[in-house]
Amino acid sequence: MDLNALTLLVEIIDSGNLSQAARKLKMTRANVSYHLNQLEKSLGVQLVQRTTRRMEPTEVGLRLYEHGRNIRNELAAAQETITSLGEELQGRVGISVPSGYGQIVVSDWLIEFKRLYPGIVLDVLFENRADNLRDEVDIAIRVIQEPPLSVVARSLGNVRYVACASLAYAAAHGLPRTLLELRNTPLITAGVMGRQLRLSAYQGLERQEVTLEPTLISEHFPFLRQGIMAGLGVGLVPDYVVQDAITNGEVLTTLQEYRLSIFGTHLYLLYLPNRHQTKAVRTCIDFLLDKARSREALQ
């Protein structure tokens, strides 16, 4: 069997359609279709099922795809080994991080990683979009309840939300002592769909939910921190946004008996199981996991 034809099949199934595969392979769509038809004809079996929107592998196609993917990954690893002999670690790593956690926590980690491995090109996206892993993204960090089954998910620890306010706000207005009191409180928090916010609050196995209407909303967490420090209201933010101000007494917390959640309570590092990982990507994954473990141990 021709190795190029096997590679073509892998790209078609990974892409999901002929047009996307053609762009990756730098071929015309007609040429990709022709070579796929020739491969199926030579084997005497159908490898993919064509629909108007996607191409799904048949059972035989899926088995052949798995062999082809493994061969492609081994070839890429062999090539990387040859080209990196005697050289510093090189390559490109595409990372997608949440805007808040990325700005306040991960950015310092990535600066340290870049100092350790100057030969690696870091391409960092600060975003909160749901489709985490695209061609240019090798690693995605996300706050979610349950990771998709289609990806490998490595735990980075829990996300701890706090209800908090500055000393000045607390002195002038007091702090809410119940979840219902939050409804009459000016709230500062991250972007939500529409104006209403659904806050989940846990006590042991018991879960309560309250619908709130924030008055200051942004995905830019340093701005949210500024609003809290300026006494504009009560913040509902992850603890890392104001941890230093809580420690030195500039910010007070309330509702500590609850475990609060807005978007999720867990942080994951995600990557695709069927994509070849370069040594640069593997090194970055290990580095980020180690940093997260160290941070979690201190909390």
Side-chain angles (χ1 to χ4, degrees):
M1 181 184 298
D2 181 68
L3 183 59
N4 290 328
L6 195 56
T7 300
L8 180 137
L9 176 66
V10 171
E11 290 295 348
I12 290 173
I13 294 176
D14 276 345
S15 301
N17 60 70
L18 292 179
S19 298
Q20 182 67 20
R23 283 192 289 271
K24 286 185 180 180
L25 294 167
K26 295 181 171 54
M27 298 168 62
T28 66
R29 187 182 185 282
N31 203 2
V32 172
S33 179
Y34 170 78
H35 285 290
L36 174 60
N37 289 334
Q38 289 298 109
L39 177 60
E40 290 181 324
K41 186 176 179 180
S42 68
L43 295 175
V45 292
Q46 183 180 2
L47 300 175
V48 295
Q49 294 176 334
R50 285 97 164 148
T51 67
T52 54
R53 300 186 66 180
R54 284 191 62 81
M55 305 189 76
E56 299 289 344
T58 63
E59 183 178 353
V60 175
L62 183 59
R63 292 185 180 183
L64 192 59
Y65 160 79
E66 290 171 349
H67 286 296
R69 185 188 65 197
N70 291 336
I71 292 171
R72 183 189 63 179
N73 289 346
E74 287 298 325
L75 286 173
Q79 182 63 42
E80 182 186 8
T81 298
I82 294 170
T83 56
S84 63
L85 286 175
E87 299 178 357
E88 68 175 357
L89 190 58
Q90 296 182 343
R92 176 195 171 278
V93 181
I95 308 176
S96 172
V97 297
S99 57
Y101 190 74
Q103 291 161 7
I104 297 173
V105 179
V106 181
S107 58
D108 286 340
W109 296 352
L110 295 178
I111 294 297
E112 181 180 344
F113 180 82
K114 183 62 180 172
R115 286 199 179 108
L116 289 172
Y117 305 101
I120 293 178
V121 175
L122 285 182
D123 187 353
V124 186
L125 299 172
F126 292 84
E127 58 179 1
N128 296 317
R129 60 187 293 174
D131 54 334
N132 307 318
L133 296 165
R134 306 178 296 283
D135 287 343
E136 71 274 19
V137 175
D138 301 295
I139 306 166
I141 294 175
R142 287 294 177 267
V143 179
I144 47 179
Q145 282 296 99
E146 292 291 337
L149 295 176
S150 59
V151 302
V152 177
R154 307 286 299 275
S155 173
L156 294 178
N158 294 316
V159 177
R160 301 170 179 86
Y161 278 83
V162 293
C164 61
S166 68
L167 280 174
Y169 179 90
H173 307 284
L175 294 174
R177 298 299 178 186
T178 68
L179 293 174
L180 292 180
E181 286 183 28
L182 288 173
R183 290 182 173 175
N184 300 317
T185 302
L187 297 177
I188 301 169
T189 191
V192 292
M193 295 298 292
R195 288 193 64 217
Q196 289 193 328
L197 163 74
R198 294 186 183 276
L199 174 70
S200 297
Y202 300 85
Q203 281 185 309
L205 298 178
E206 182 183 352
R207 175 181 177 271
Q208 299 182 54
E209 185 176 278
V210 58
T211 302
L212 307 169
E213 293 189 358
T215 59
L216 184 61
I217 303 170
S218 177
E219 291 188 354
H220 188 65
F221 280 60
F223 175 66
L224 295 180
R225 175 190 167 92
Q226 282 185 278
I228 294 167
M229 301 299 292
L232 299 181
V234 173
L236 293 174
V237 293
D239 59 357
Y240 55 78
V241 176
V242 289
Q243 189 59 62
D244 61 327
I246 293 173
T247 301
N248 63 31
E250 294 179 83
V251 166
L252 303 177
T253 62
T254 186
L255 303 175
Q256 295 96 329
E257 67 271 24
Y258 293 101
R259 183 164 51 89
L260 304 175
S261 172
I262 298 175
F263 301 108
T265 59
H266 211 84
L267 197 68
Y268 290 96
L269 183 149
L270 311 173
Y271 55 88
L272 291 174
N274 58 357
R275 182 184 296 173
H276 169 66
Q277 290 180 352
T278 65
K279 189 174 181 181
V281 171
R282 295 194 302 273
T283 301
C284 189
I285 289 173
D286 291 341
F287 179 86
L288 293 174
L289 290 173
D290 184 63
K291 282 292 181 182
R293 282 191 292 266
S294 298
R295 184 176 185 275
E296 191 75 4
L298 294 175
Q299 294 182 337

